[in-house]
Amino acid sequence: MERTLSFSLSLSPLFLFLVFSLVQGQNPKCDTQEHGSTLQVFHVFSPCSPFRPSKALSWEESVLQLQAKDQARLQFLASLVAGRSVVPIASGRQIIQSPTYIVRAKIGTPPQTLLLAMDTSNDAAWIPCTACDGCTSTLFSPEKSTSFKNLNCGAPQCNQVPNPSCGSSSCSFNFTYGSSTIGANLVQDTVTLATDPIPGYTFGCVQKTTGPSTPPQGLLGLGRGPLSLLSQTQNLYQSTFSYCLPSFKSLNFSGSLRLGPVAQPIRIKYTPLLKNPRRSSLYYVNLVAIRVGRKVVDIPQEALAFNPVTGAGTIFDSGTVFSRLVAPAYVAVRDEFRRRVGGKANLTVTSLGGFDTCYTVPIVAPTITFMFSGMNVTLPQDNILIHSSAGSTTCLAMASAPDNVNSVLNVIANMQQQNHRVLFDVPNSRLGVARELCTK
Ligand SMILES: *[C@@H]1O[C@H](CO)[C@@H](O)[C@H](O)[C@H]1NC(C)=O
Ligand SMILES: *[C@@H]1O[C@H](CO)[C@@H](O)[C@H](O)[C@H]1NC(C)=O
Ligand SMILES: *[C@@H]1O[C@H](CO)[C@@H](O)[C@H](O)[C@H]1NC(C)=O
Ligand SMILES: *[C@@H]1O[C@H](CO)[C@@H](O)[C@H](O)[C@H]1NC(C)=O
């Protein structure tokens, strides 16, 4: 079946207005049948994504655009950590905060296919619905689904959403995401992930959005709080999933999101998951040190320590692109990295956007190892460096946490997770990491 979707959205200052179109069925890779409980994962710039820019971006443009989105992402994470919403960093600018990887889900009866952003730091699923005011994307049409229903105000789920209200006896709620406000009705319908139908799945049917940071696609929250996918599919998936994120150097490749304990890797290193009761959706781990090459760099203990009260510590996040370390940790890593790269040659360091360690000549870079409790993860160069397509500029693809938001959080972001399988094993309170080339 061939279907054409077109829509428009406004993006960062780099593009004022772009028109995207997707012709499904042209690229056979985009239509691959999904099997069992494994979904294909696409980068948002993939040829299979309707959210990719309509024209090829230059390398600098892509990097700057991803960095701009990261800024909004970090603002969102900071608001979670601080337990309050925060004011926009870049007021007046249009920044679409779309998490970077998307999966396909089928919603309703008969099924309507929608693309949802994967977000490990969010609990809820929300989907833009017909008649949504402010949505810019493909919409779900509840009126065409025979299994759709609104939840009424007495439903227990209505107590688990933020700011519930009762309009015409059905449950609706408002929430903030980054610097946007989103109003949604709490509804239920069958959601099919790969080949698994999940009847009566509770999600937000978005009716209104204001502000610049609403992802145009819906969101599949993979956090572990109430109403999350994990909470609603306890029997089916037992709060276990893993993903392999494809590199954005190979946009034609897809990765996978594997739900449930079946077929998860056996040979994998683990570190304990830490639980912060006040930020229940975030996946905290204990980062104890960082090695550059063979040298463990000198980082003050409090820069890495987990603190449930302030929200400080380290999380794995699927929606941030470039890892951020709080300033003392980042500076220690960067300085050692520069020493190792520059060394005797005394190479000139340049910057690009938020990256402060770039070189315009070919370099030999040291590995970087994140040392977690019980698990060292040594990143190969592909996870550490970004190279311009012309090969003339190379940057260390990490940055210091922004200092104008609550900067207590270290974020292990998706560039550093690409081509690894990351396993979230909530029942056993552990997170596993193993190298894997995710190239389908
Ligand atoms: C949600 O937002 C709408 C306007 O955007 C407002 O009319 C409504 O009162 C809000 N509801 C709650 C519960 O805050
Ligand atoms: C990706 O796939 C598209 C269409 O299938 C093709 O035109 C393009 O050359 C491919 N790009 C790469 C880098 O393989
Ligand atoms: C490194 O180069 C800079 C200018 O490029 C120069 O000022 C500095 O003295 C040099 N350092 C060493 C140790 O050669
Ligand atoms: C991580 O590497 C350090 C050496 O830098 C080593 O002492 C430690 O035992 C390793 N940890 C694990 C869990 O392998």
Side-chain angles (χ1 to χ4, degrees), residues 40-325:
Q40 274 183 295
V41 174
F42 300 103
H43 193 275
V44 76
F45 289 174
S46 140
C48 300
S49 165
F51 309 105
R52 73 189 182 281
S54 64
K55 67 169 176 99
L57 299 183
S58 76
W59 178 72
E60 281 81 3
E61 285 172 325
S62 316
V63 168
L64 293 173
Q65 193 190 329
L66 291 169
Q67 282 182 342
K69 287 180 184 170
D70 262 6
Q71 204 67 11
R73 177 73 185 173
L74 290 153
Q75 185 184 1
F76 162 68
L77 293 172
S79 75
L80 289 184
V81 161
R84 58 181 161 78
S85 60
V86 289
V87 294
I89 290 173
S91 55
R93 279 185 173 190
Q94 289 289 297
I95 292 173
I96 295 287
Q97 182 201 349
S98 43
T100 335
Y101 289 95
I102 52 179
V103 296
R104 248 190 320 248
K106 297 189 200 77
I107 302 162
T109 315
Q112 302 174 35
T113 301
L114 276 98
L115 293 164
L116 306 181
M118 267 174 57
D119 188 344
T120 53
S121 298
N122 232 287
D123 286 341
W126 39 268
I127 288 158
C129 284
T130 16
C132 168
D133 174 6
C135 294
T136 49
S137 175
T138 324
L139 305 172
F140 169 62
S141 307
E143 68 283 4
K144 293 185 187 145
S145 171
T146 56
S147 45
F148 177 88
K149 70 173 195 177
N150 280 296
L151 284 180
N152 64 36
C153 302
Q157 293 93 332
C158 197
N159 289 324
Q160 295 175 323
V161 294
N163 311 313
S165 66
C166 202
S168 61
S169 92
S170 62
C171 178
S172 56
F173 63 104
N174 286 349
F175 62 102
T176 57
Y177 187 82
S179 52
S180 292
T181 304
I182 300 172
N185 293 334
L186 195 62
V187 304
Q188 286 187 331
D189 206 338
T190 301
V191 172
T192 304
L193 297 175
T195 57
D196 299 330
I198 306 164
Y201 191 76
T202 303
F203 60 92
C205 196
V206 177
Q207 299 299 314
K208 185 177 168 73
T209 86
T210 48
S213 24
T214 312
Q217 62 282 68
L219 196 81
L220 183 65
L222 293 169
R224 50 181 160 168
L227 281 190
S228 68
L229 175 69
L230 300 195
S231 306
Q232 293 193 55
T233 57
Q234 277 298 338
N235 295 336
L236 187 59
Y237 298 138
Q238 295 164 40
S239 294
T240 306
F241 68 95
S242 72
Y243 56 63
C244 186
L245 304 176
S247 161
F248 48 70
K249 271 169 50 183
S250 353
L251 290 177
N252 278 0
F253 292 142
S254 64
S256 61
L257 169 63
R258 198 175 290 154
L259 298 166
V262 177
Q264 296 297 358
I266 295 161
R267 281 156 50 101
I268 191 164
K269 291 182 287 189
Y270 288 105
T271 189
L273 274 176
L274 307 178
K275 193 150 193 180
N276 182 341
R278 296 166 58 171
R279 287 92 193 172
S280 58
S281 40
L282 300 179
Y283 291 103
Y284 279 93
V285 291
N286 189 16
L287 177 63
V288 288
I290 302 175
R291 215 164 59 200
V292 177
R294 262 179 292 176
K295 180 171 181 195
V296 177
V297 297
D298 199 7
I299 298 173
Q301 206 265 330
E302 63 274 14
L304 301 179
F306 175 61
N307 181 339
V309 176
T310 60
T314 303
I315 63 166
F316 269 73
D317 181 45
S318 66
T320 309
V321 181
F322 302 111
S323 290
R324 298 289 186 130
L325 301 172

Side-chain angles (χ1 to χ4, degrees), residues 269 291 294 296 369 371-376:
K269 291 182 287 189
R291 215 164 59 200
R294 262 179 292 176
V296 177
T369 304
M371 302 165 72
F372 301 100
S373 306
M375 173 178 88
N376 290 339

